Amino acid sequence: MNENLLPFDIGPLNPSGYQILVGLLSFAIVYVLLARWVLPRAADIISRREQATHGVAAEAERVRAEAEEVRAERDAILAEARHEAARTRQKAHEDGLALIDAARAEGQRERARILAEGAVEIEAARAVAEAELRADVDLWGLAMAERVVGEALVTGPTDGDARPPRH
C-alpha cells in the first residue's frame, strides 16, 4: 500500500499520513504557544507603543502650542521694543534739532555781538584816523603844492609841527 497521500510520486511534496499527523500536531503546539504567550505579549507591546506614540504626539502638540504662545509673546515684546526704539529715536532727533536751533540762535547772537563790537571798533578807528588825517591835511596839501610848483611856499612850519618827508 501506498502511504502517500496522492497516488503518484511527486517527491517530498507528497507526504505520508504519518508526516501529516506530525505536521498537524507540531502546528497545533506552535499555535498554542504563540496564541498563549507570544501573541498577547506582542499585542501588549504594540498597544504600549501606540499609547506612547499617541502620548508623545499629544505632548508634542502641547509643546508646539506652548511654543506658539511664547513666540507670540516674544513677537509682541519685540514689536513694543521696536516702537519704543522708534519713539526714542524720534525724541532724540527732536532734541537734537532743538539743540541745533539753540546753538544756531546762540551763534547768531554771538555773531551779531561780534559784528556790533567790530563796527564800534572800526568806527572808533575811522574817527581816530580821520582826526589824524585832518590834522595833517594842511601839511600834506602844502607839500603837494610845493611839489607841483617846484619851490618852497612857506619858509618854515607855522604851528611847530614837522612837515611830512619829501619823496
Side-chain angles (χ1 to χ4, degrees), residues 78-98:
L78 285 175
E80 180 61 31
R82 283 188 203 105
H83 290 308
E84 185 63 30
R87 284 191 293 269
T88 302
R89 278 192 305 271
Q90 181 65 29
K91 183 174 180 340
H93 180 70
E94 291 170 358
D95 291 348
L97 289 177

Side-chain angles (χ1 to χ4, degrees), residues 98-143:
L99 288 173
I100 288 171
D101 288 343
R104 183 176 290 134
E106 178 64 27
Q108 288 175 348
R109 283 192 299 273
E110 185 68 17
R111 176 182 166 266
R113 184 190 62 80
I114 290 171
L115 287 176
E117 287 176 1
V120 168
E121 288 177 13
I122 290 172
E123 184 58 35
R126 188 188 66 74
V128 168
E130 186 178 328
E132 288 177 1
L133 286 176
R134 286 197 188 274
D136 290 340
V137 121
D138 293 338
L139 293 175
W140 287 102
L142 183 61

Side-chain angles (χ1 to χ4, degrees), residues 134-158:
R134 286 197 188 274
D136 290 340
V137 121
D138 293 338
L139 293 175
W140 287 102
L142 183 61
M144 286 181 16
E146 287 177 350
R147 277 184 154 171
V148 169
V149 173
E151 54 186 63
L153 297 177
V154 176
T155 57
T158 56

Side-chain angles (χ1 to χ4, degrees), residues 12-84:
L13 296 178
N14 196 3
S16 66
Y18 174 72
Q19 290 174 335
I20 290 177
L21 185 62
V22 169
L24 284 176
L25 186 62
S26 298
F27 175 77
I29 292 171
V30 169
Y31 179 79
V32 168
L33 289 175
L34 286 175
R36 210 168 255 235
W37 289 289
V38 176
L39 292 178
R41 291 180 79 193
D44 185 45
I45 290 172
I46 290 172
S47 172
R48 279 190 269 154
R49 284 186 182 175
E50 284 179 357
Q51 288 174 357
T53 303
H54 292 305
V56 168
E59 180 68 16
E61 184 64 33
R62 186 189 63 75
V63 168
R64 187 173 349 113
E66 186 177 319
E68 286 295 326
E69 288 178 18
V70 169
R71 183 186 308 161
E73 289 174 12
R74 183 202 65 194
D75 289 345
I77 290 170
L78 285 175
E80 180 61 31
R82 283 188 203 105
H83 290 308
E84 185 63 30

